Amino acid sequence: MFTVQHLERTGSTNDEARRQALLGAPHGTVVHADEQTAGRGRRERAWFSPPGNLYISVLLRLPAAPARIPELSFVAAVAVADTVDRLLPKHLRATLKWPNDVLVDGGKIAGILLEAVDDAVIVGIGLNVLLAPHNMAYKTTTLVSAGGIASVDGARDILLERLGAWLTIWQADGFAPIRTAWLARGHAIGTPMRTGSGNHPVEGSFAGLDDDGALLLNTPEGQKRIVAGDVAVPPV
Ligand code: BTN
C-alpha cells in the first residue's frame, strides 16, 4: 500500500511530499527523512527535527468528500497511538489530546500536520523516538525515555501498518469507529479545558467529540462546538 522514499535530510517532508503530489505522485507515496532542516508544526510553529526521530509524510489520494478530510487527522492519531503502544512497556499507554496530539504520561511524543494539495492530502507525522525539545510551553517525551525500545525505521514500519489498517476501516465503515477509538484514548468526559485565541478564550469541560470530530465543550453559556485550534488542559 505504501512506497517509502528514504532521504537523509530535507527541509520538510510535507513540502517534499507536496512537490511530488503536484508532479502527480500516486496514493501511498511516503517521504521519510532522517532529519528536517525546516520541519513545520501546526499553526506555523517549527518542529524540532534532528536525526534520531521519525519524520514522515504520507500522500493520500482518496475518493472522499472534502468535508471528511479533517477526519484523517484522527485516523492518523489512532494509528500513531497504536504504534507507540506497541513500542512501550506494557503498563504505559498512549493518550490523545484534541485534535491529534499523542501523549505518554502527559508529555507530547508525536504531532500530526494534515495539508491538502489539490485533491490529495498529505499526512505529516513526527514521532519523538530518541530526542525531544526542551523549553516548550508543554511537556514533551520520547519513546526511549518512556522506557520503550525502538529504532526509527522499526517505528515507521509499524506506523505505516497501523495507518493502513485504520484507513481501511475508515473507508469501509466511516468515521464512527475512528471516533470510538479516539475517545477510548482521549480526555475523560468532564476534563476542564481551555481553547480559543488570546482575547477570546473559551473555557469549559470536555463533553466528547461530535460526529465529525469537532470538540464539544460544556461551558457556562451552553455546549459549544470547536472545529479548530489548540486546547490547554490544566494539570490534574
Ligand atoms: C504539530 O504541531 O503537532 C504537528 C507536527 C508535525 C511534524 C511532522 S514531522 C514530518 C512532517 N514534516 C513536517 O514539516 N511536519 C510534519
Side-chain angles (χ1 to χ4, degrees), residues 36-213:
Q36 298 185 116
T37 53
R40 293 187 285 110
R42 293 170 59 232
R43 308 174 86 71
E44 309 298 322
R45 295 180 189 125
W47 185 255
F48 176 76
S49 305
N53 294 333
L54 178 63
Y55 313 108
I56 59 168
S57 297
V58 181
L59 168 56
L60 301 175
R61 296 187 186 277
L62 298 163
R68 293 197 56 208
I69 295 306
E71 297 173 50
L72 290 169
S73 84
F74 297 87
V75 173
V78 294
V80 175
D82 278 359
T83 306
V84 170
D85 277 2
R86 290 258 183 106
L87 296 167
L88 284 181
K90 291 278 169 285
H91 66 279
L92 283 176
R93 200 169 144 76
T95 59
L96 295 170
K97 176 169 163 297
W98 190 85
N100 57 23
D101 284 350
V102 183
L103 312 182
V104 172
D105 206 10
K108 179 162 167 169
I109 201 164
I112 294 163
L113 179 66
L114 206 72
E115 294 181 320
V117 182
D118 293 342
D119 57 352
V121 179
I122 292 165
V123 183
I125 301 170
L127 171 61
N128 297 340
V129 176
L130 206 57
L131 300 159
H134 298 294
N135 305 320
M136 302 296 282
Y138 49 85
K139 191 178 157 197
T140 58
T141 191
T142 71
L143 279 172
V144 169
S145 63
I149 299 173
S151 71
V152 172
D153 291 3
R156 177 201 64 205
D157 292 346
I158 296 171
L159 175 54
L160 291 177
E161 185 271 317
R162 295 316 301 148
L163 186 63
W166 281 111
L167 276 172
T168 301
I169 293 171
W170 182 73
Q171 287 184 283
D173 302 322
F175 186 58
I178 310 300
R179 178 176 172 275
T180 302
W182 193 100
L183 284 168
R185 295 177 179 275
H187 322 272
I189 297 293
T191 302
M193 47 181 63
R194 187 175 52 248
T195 183
S197 55
N199 291 334
H200 303 284
V202 182
E203 292 194 1
S205 62
F206 182 61
L209 286 187
D210 213 344
D211 288 347
D212 59 355

